[in-house]
Amino acid sequence: MTATRLTRLLSGPDGDSPRLGYGADYNPEQWSREVWEEDVRLMREAGVTVVSVGIFSWARIQPAPDEWDFTWLDEVMDLLHEGGIGVDLATATASPPPWLTTAHPEILPVTATGETVWPGARQHWRPTSPVFRDHALRLVREMAARYANHPALVAWHISNELGCHNIYDYSDDAARAFRDWLRARYTTLEGLNHAWGTAFWSQRYSGWEQILPPRLAASHPNPTQQLDFKRFSSDALKDYLRAERDVLRQITPDVPVTTNFMVMNGTKGMNYPDWADEIDFVSNDHYVHPGPQDRDELSFSANLTSGIAGGRPWFLMEHSTSAVNWQPVNVAKRPGDLARDSLLHVAHGADAVCYFQWRQSSAGAEKYHSAMVPHAGEDSDLFRAVVALGDTLKALAPVAGSEREPAPVGIVYDWESWWASEQDSHPTSLLDYRQEALDWYSALLALGVRADIVTTRADLDRHRVLIAPVLHVVPAELAKDLTRYAENGGHLITTYFSGVVDENDHVWLGGYPGALRELLGIRIEEFGPLLDGESVELDGAGTGSLWTDRITVTEPEVEVLARYRTGAYADRPAVTRRPAGRGSAAYVSTRLGPEGLAGLLPGLLAAAGVGSELPAEAQGRVELAVRRDADSRYLFLVNRTDETVPLPGLAGELLTGRPADADTLVLPPREVAVLRQPAD
Ligand code: GAL
């Protein structure tokens, strides 16, 4: 997506000057005509600029195979346009109507244990069903043709959270498509037999038709079959995404297309870095999971989305004004959280702040999910907070279109390693890839050091320090890139269970971590995973859990930064660092958690000349994220605490936040300030 197209989207249907988008999913089919008019009035009051319409409207738009009812949607589109509100129009294919599943039950997904996923909720369709695709694309064509020239249309919203409920389908359609995918990947059965290691357990295939998805089996299904099924399932949905997109591009070539990702929420099944190039701009949905690292996780998700978007602006397509309805206990947000949560996404590159949903439903499974207009109506603190945020976003208009300024530290987040490291039949079933990456991020937040979450596709040389937690899958090319990175002056830090397998999930032999052994200057003969609740003490580097390694240092220049003091490997190295070329390569062999890592990191960062850009008083208490354009830098300063934090020495034009009386900018509890400084 070119910057110009995104600018046009942010200018709204009337082509005003660019601003940050503000809005929600809007489901007018749940309400009467009078409510629609009140909706538009309240949207204007709140400063809403864009709404996503029609996401779950298939049954209303096409009540029977050859019956179409667009009149209500025409009216909604017209009303919104009259109100100056742009429409991110859904293709409406997310939830097939009952007439379709009754006529064609063969579109319903099947679980690994052979059960049918019945209609009754939503997204009950097989990504690989040709019958579903025919019907869905017919609807997409009708939608595109009908609204191609409607002045309210600013973007297309393909389906909804593709893969949220239907990423893994084990049906016969899936089996057929999986075989086609494998033929394209391996060409020959011999290639597949090698990659899958089928010499093991008599699994050798002599015909393509013998291959199945990893359905319920007597014991652990073949690990490479499992990994390939994950790759295939992500690709199958990507292929479906492309099919809808191609219809839209053919009929409305100038209207940008997106689909809402869910990079941290829910399933890890969709390899979004690999999907990002298929759409015109990246959108993401995020919901807070209450817990000790909840806002770190929010920041991580926004930061990762920015990485997936290549540092360019993206859309926050959904989050919540307050409680959700799908957690075990659905906690309401505290005063200030609504704005701070939204602005933290903007800090990490969101050019639009949208919620699920505009008006809280009175019926259905999501009636207790918060919205911009709550059950209590406009006379509510929540709606007043919504209006106030609308004003703040107006004040932040100059930020629209700016990109992220690369941070000194990069944290690599890699889908292949996420998938492979957590598979079954491993040294431990307790490993949590996402948690390890989040712990490093939390540690950096606690130190006030700015970090970008990046994918393995990014330009790694941009970061002076590169942290690659549990980088389990390291193909030969990636090993070379990382070696080059260190030799050219980069400082790599990696952890336990990294560099262990290649792209086929085959172990690199000769001692772990095979692919990175030389670079790190260490050799591991055996892993020492710890039982749940078990821990080991490290000399001066805290307490380790989950994992230990039996490390031998193989190069004389390797420094041992910490040793195990207790446990089976007492006195052996636990944390090492090898000067490599102009840079270095460090290894952390156990799980230290956010506090342990915050203790270890300053030494590693200092060697790379990296420290906090924040005044000492604010380090750990304020998160800093920086966006920039040709003329300006935008410093987002987010108070992570419930206390007032001073920010001495920080100057610039205050775009939002409370001006201080004295020279020192002060951040009240949970508030956000945005400073504009001239670009250097
Ligand atoms: C999302 C979904 C929305 C709504 C929301 C509730 O996963 O896209 O339609 O269900 O969750 O939190």
Side-chain angles (χ1 to χ4, degrees):
M1 166 100 183
T2 61
T4 0
R5 289 184 87 181
L6 189 56
T7 304
R8 204 179 325 148
L9 169 61
L10 294 169
S11 305
D14 295 336
D16 304 335
S17 52
R19 60 199 167 178
L20 295 174
Y22 191 36
D25 285 12
Y26 180 40
N27 298 304
E29 64 269 47
Q30 296 176 17
W31 303 97
S32 65
R33 178 72 168 74
E34 304 80 75
V35 180
W36 301 351
E37 291 187 6
E38 186 181 278
D39 285 335
V40 174
R41 175 179 68 78
L42 293 176
M43 284 178 193
R44 289 178 66 87
E45 190 179 329
V48 164
T49 65
V50 63
V51 288
S52 299
V53 178
I55 294 176
F56 296 106
S57 304
W58 192 344
R60 176 82 187 255
I61 291 169
Q62 191 184 9
D66 291 310
E67 221 180 282
W68 299 90
D69 177 8
F70 285 109
T71 45
W72 68 277
L73 188 51
D74 294 349
E75 221 177 309
V76 168
M77 296 282 287
D78 293 349
L79 265 179
L80 289 166
H81 180 61
E82 283 157 25
I85 294 154
V87 175
D88 167 51
L89 187 58
T91 54
T93 53
S95 199
W99 61 259
L100 179 54
T101 47
T102 306
H104 294 288
E106 73 274 22
I107 71 169
L108 298 172
V110 176
T111 65
T113 50
E115 290 151 312
T116 298
V117 176
W118 293 101
R122 62 177 175 185
Q123 215 174 57
H124 37 276
W125 51 274
R126 298 178 186 176
T128 56
S129 162
V131 176
F132 175 77
R133 190 175 288 205
D134 278 355
H135 281 86
L137 295 188
R138 185 178 171 211
L139 172 60
V140 178
R141 270 190 295 275
E142 293 286 336
M143 292 287 287
R146 179 113 191 158
Y147 296 107
N149 298 314
H150 197 288
L153 178 67
V154 292
W156 286 113
H157 182 296
I158 289 182
S159 193
N160 188 61
E161 289 189 344
L162 286 165
C164 178
H165 311 294
N166 65 349
I167 177 69
Y168 296 122
D169 162 44
Y170 298 80
S171 66
D172 290 342
D173 279 333
R176 264 189 298 275
F178 187 35
R179 285 177 206 125
D180 291 344
W181 184 93
L182 290 166
R183 266 204 200 93
R185 183 175 175 92
Y186 296 112
T187 318
T188 63
L189 265 184
E190 202 184 326
L192 177 134
N193 277 311
H194 166 73
W196 285 21
T198 55
F200 183 79
W201 277 356
S202 182
Q203 291 175 348
R204 186 168 188 82
Y205 294 98
S206 56
W208 291 98
E209 72 288 353
Q210 299 159 9
I211 301 170
L212 295 168
R215 293 174 177 160
L216 176 69
S219 177
H220 303 299
N222 179 303
T224 317
Q225 176 194 18
Q226 291 192 55
L227 183 58
D228 272 349
F229 189 66
K230 292 187 174 89
R231 292 171 172 146
F232 153 77
S233 298
S234 177
D235 280 359
L237 273 174
K238 182 175 76 171
D239 190 66
Y240 176 80
L241 165 68
R242 278 187 186 148
E244 282 208 17
R245 181 209 58 198
D246 289 349
V247 171
L248 297 170
R249 286 218 173 132
Q250 200 194 348
I251 302 174
T252 56
D254 292 328
V255 180
V257 173
T258 194
T259 190
N260 45 345
F261 293 172
M262 34 193 299
V263 305
M264 280 281 112
N265 274 117
T267 170
K268 63 184 180 191
M270 289 73 75
N271 185 346
Y272 291 127
D274 181 52
W275 288 25
D277 290 345
E278 305 295 342
I279 47 180
D280 293 317
F281 63 100
V282 166
S283 302
N284 193 49
D285 298 351
H286 181 269
Y287 291 92
V288 173
H289 291 256
Q293 284 168 284
D294 51 16
R295 265 57 189 195
D296 296 2
E297 195 272 349
L298 188 163
S299 171
F300 187 101
S301 164
N303 195 326
L304 173 59
T305 307
S306 176
I308 290 170
R312 289 179 290 280
W314 51 277
F315 253 54
L316 175 62
M317 194 58 93
E318 287 181 26
H319 68 318
S320 65
T321 54
S322 189
V324 299
N325 66 302
W326 43 263
Q327 291 168 357
V329 176
N330 296 298
V331 178
K333 290 193 179 183
R334 295 175 307 166
D337 281 347
L338 180 149
R340 184 180 61 171
D341 290 353
S342 302
L343 294 174
L344 199 41
H345 288 283
V346 177
H348 287 287
D351 261 4
V353 165
C354 299
Y355 293 99
F356 177 83
Q357 59 176 330
W358 165 252
R359 183 180 282 279
Q360 187 167 11
S361 304
S362 63
E366 295 182 323
K367 58 182 174 295
Y368 295 118
H369 193 294
S370 59
M372 292 174 90
V373 181
H375 285 155
E378 64 183 291
D379 181 14
S380 59
D381 285 347
L382 197 151
F383 187 69
R384 283 183 279 276
V386 161
V387 173
L389 178 59
D391 289 339
T392 303
L393 293 175
K394 257 181 234 154
L396 288 177
V399 171
S402 60
E403 308 208 339
R404 89 164 161 194
E405 180 175 282
V409 179
I411 298 180
V412 177
Y413 202 83
D414 178 49
W415 255 254
E416 294 260 317
S417 286
W418 193 6
W419 287 340
S421 66
E422 292 183 356
Q423 292 209 134
D424 56 36
S425 59
H426 277 190
T428 178
S429 58
L430 303 176
L431 188 147
D432 185 337
Y433 177 86
R434 178 177 168 278
Q435 184 63 49
E436 183 63 37
L438 178 59
D439 285 354
W440 284 89
Y441 191 66
S442 285
L444 289 160
L445 285 173
L447 296 169
V449 174
R450 213 152 52 86
D452 289 343
I453 314 295
V454 297
T455 70
T456 44
R457 293 161 173 242
D459 175 6
L460 304 179
D461 292 326
R462 288 182 139 195
H463 307 283
R464 271 180 282 159
V465 174
L466 194 65
I467 301 174
V470 194
L471 188 65
H472 185 60
V473 180
V474 179
E477 225 15 72
L478 180 56
K480 276 193 213 141
D481 287 349
L482 294 174
T483 304
R484 220 176 3 241
Y485 167 77
E487 277 166 0
N488 291 340
H491 297 271
L492 175 72
I493 305 172
T494 189
T495 74
Y496 59 90
F497 217 31
S498 295
V500 173
V501 298
D502 68 8
E503 63 275 25
N504 292 325
D505 200 24
H506 292 196
V507 172
W508 289 103
L509 300 178
Y512 315 120
L516 303 173
R517 200 171 56 220
E518 276 183 37
L519 174 60
L520 294 164
I522 58 168
R523 183 162 178 266
I524 295 163
E525 286 178 43
E526 204 168 19
F527 303 128
L530 301 178
L531 294 171
D532 202 8
E534 202 183 348
S535 61
V536 288
E537 294 305 315
L538 273 66
D539 255 346
T543 304
S545 62
L546 183 79
W547 196 282
T548 59
D549 279 317
R550 186 161 173 268
I551 297 178
T552 307
V553 166
T554 54
E555 303 297 334
E557 68 274 19
V558 171
E559 296 165 72
V560 176
L561 301 180
R563 288 182 183 274
Y564 289 110
R565 196 146 51 76
T566 61
Y569 304 145
D571 295 330
R572 282 188 171 271
V575 180
T576 62
R577 181 171 172 278
R578 173 174 172 247
R582 288 188 286 123
S584 68
Y587 185 75
V588 180
S589 64
T590 185
R591 175 165 185 231
L592 292 174
E595 281 177 27
L597 293 174
L600 179 74
L601 266 167
L604 292 168
L605 295 174
V610 170
S612 177
E613 298 155 88
L614 287 166
E617 296 86 333
Q619 290 172 17
R621 303 164 76 196
V622 169
E623 176 176 348
L624 168 69
V626 185
R627 297 179 60 163
R628 69 183 306 145
D629 55 28
D631 307 316
S632 308
R633 296 178 83 213
Y634 304 95
L635 271 61
F636 283 75
L637 297 149
V638 183
N639 189 343
R640 308 171 68 218
T641 74
D642 294 337
E643 295 149 26
T644 297
V645 183
L647 290 162
L650 279 178
E653 179 197 350
L654 193 61
L655 293 183
T656 187
R658 296 189 205 175
D661 298 336
D663 291 344
T664 295
L665 181 64
V666 164
L667 267 185
R670 302 198 288 278
E671 287 208 6
V672 179
V674 182
L675 282 180
R676 173 155 64 180
Q677 298 178 339
D680 32 52

